[in-house]
Amino acid sequence: MGTNTKWMVIICLSLLSYCGQAQISYWSTLQPGKHDVGIKTFSRTTTDGNAMFLGVWYPAENPDTMTLRVADMILMANPADPTPDSSRLSNYRTPLKWMFGQVIPASVFQEIIAHPTRTIFNAKMKSGKFPLIIAHSEVASYFPTFEFFASHGYIVIGIDGHLANESPPGPYHYSPYTNMSEEVLNYFIKEVYVDASDVTVFGHGFGIQPA
């Protein structure tokens, strides 16, 4: 089994842990780590003028606030993307259909998006230095996976990038996205909470190229 395949298994199983509690078979055996999880979001512009929306998951102090729902994660999106919230939510049914090979009934889908995650918005970060994971991903795409790693003591950065001038497919098509990864890496390895000696960049599908 290759590295990318292992990542894909983790992604699918961690998402299934949510679906399983909404009347869909519980397939995941992944267990969260000892840490509570926080998320912060940032909008940034790269040196070449492209818009980035960053989701940052991290080990958090024990919070008193409620965790986010799946729907909240889906609606955290790059301001440069004009997709209406209603479409973001309805579009989320598509990957579930791929995963289970059937259309998810509306009532079950509503249970899924109303289900609480394990992540708290803007929670206080635990003190210490943590390994860093960087991936090109919208917040909604792999949030169970990113939450899983943060609970085990990782800082995870999801980069949702939008190009000011999209180029046609070709040898340099992915260069701006690779540059985003580099800028994010160079910024976060200087942060006091990041262990700069332990950094991973990964991708799936489109994200393989920048990684």
Side-chain angles (χ1 to χ4, degrees):
M1 182 182 289
T3 301
N4 288 327
T5 304
K6 292 177 182 176
W7 283 114
M8 188 59 186
V9 169
I10 291 171
I11 290 164
C12 290
L13 289 179
S14 53
L15 180 55
L16 286 166
S17 68
Y18 289 114
C19 299
Q21 298 177 56
Q23 299 180 4
I24 297 176
S25 297
Y26 191 99
W27 294 353
S28 177
T29 58
L30 293 177
Q31 296 297 317
K34 64 181 181 179
H35 301 288
D36 291 302
V37 177
I39 185 174
K40 296 180 184 291
T41 58
F42 305 89
S43 292
R44 294 287 186 270
T45 301
T46 64
T47 54
D48 48 1
N50 295 313
M52 292 190 297
F53 184 71
L54 306 179
V56 182
W57 287 258
Y58 52 88
E61 298 284 358
N62 187 21
D64 295 324
T65 53
M66 293 180 61
T67 60
L68 297 168
R69 301 169 304 144
V70 171
D72 299 322
M73 291 294 193
I74 296 171
L75 296 178
M76 285 188 191
N78 195 325
D81 183 347
T83 305
D85 285 352
S86 58
S87 296
R88 292 188 196 283
L89 290 171
S90 62
N91 290 345
Y92 201 70
R93 295 181 72 174
T94 301
L96 297 180
K97 178 182 177 181
W98 294 339
M99 189 178 300
F100 295 104
Q102 60 181 328
V103 175
I104 304 301
S107 60
V108 176
F109 180 69
Q110 290 302 316
E111 284 190 57
I112 292 172
I113 64 175
H115 198 275
T117 70
R118 302 183 184 99
T119 300
I120 301 95
F121 188 67
N122 278 341
K124 181 180 179 181
M125 183 181 293
K126 280 196 169 181
S127 60
K129 285 185 174 290
F130 305 99
L132 176 65
I133 298 174
I134 298 174
H136 273 267
S137 167
E138 297 178 359
V139 168
S141 295
Y142 299 128
F143 73 84
T145 300
F146 296 167
E147 180 183 81
F148 171 80
F149 283 114
S151 76
H152 285 275
Y154 288 81
I155 304 290
V156 186
I157 315 294
I159 306 172
D160 180 5
H162 284 256
L163 302 187
N165 296 294
E166 186 79 33
S167 62
Y172 301 106
H173 178 69
Y174 292 100
S175 294
Y177 296 104
T178 305
N179 293 341
M180 290 180 190
S181 298
E182 183 177 15
E183 289 193 25
V184 169
L185 172 64
N186 289 337
Y187 176 85
F188 278 96
I189 60 174
K190 298 173 185 175
E191 294 296 303
V192 296
Y193 50 80
V194 169
D195 179 358
S197 69
D198 192 346
V199 177
T200 300
V201 181
F202 85 91
H204 164 252
F206 155 80
I208 291 172
Q209 297 290 343

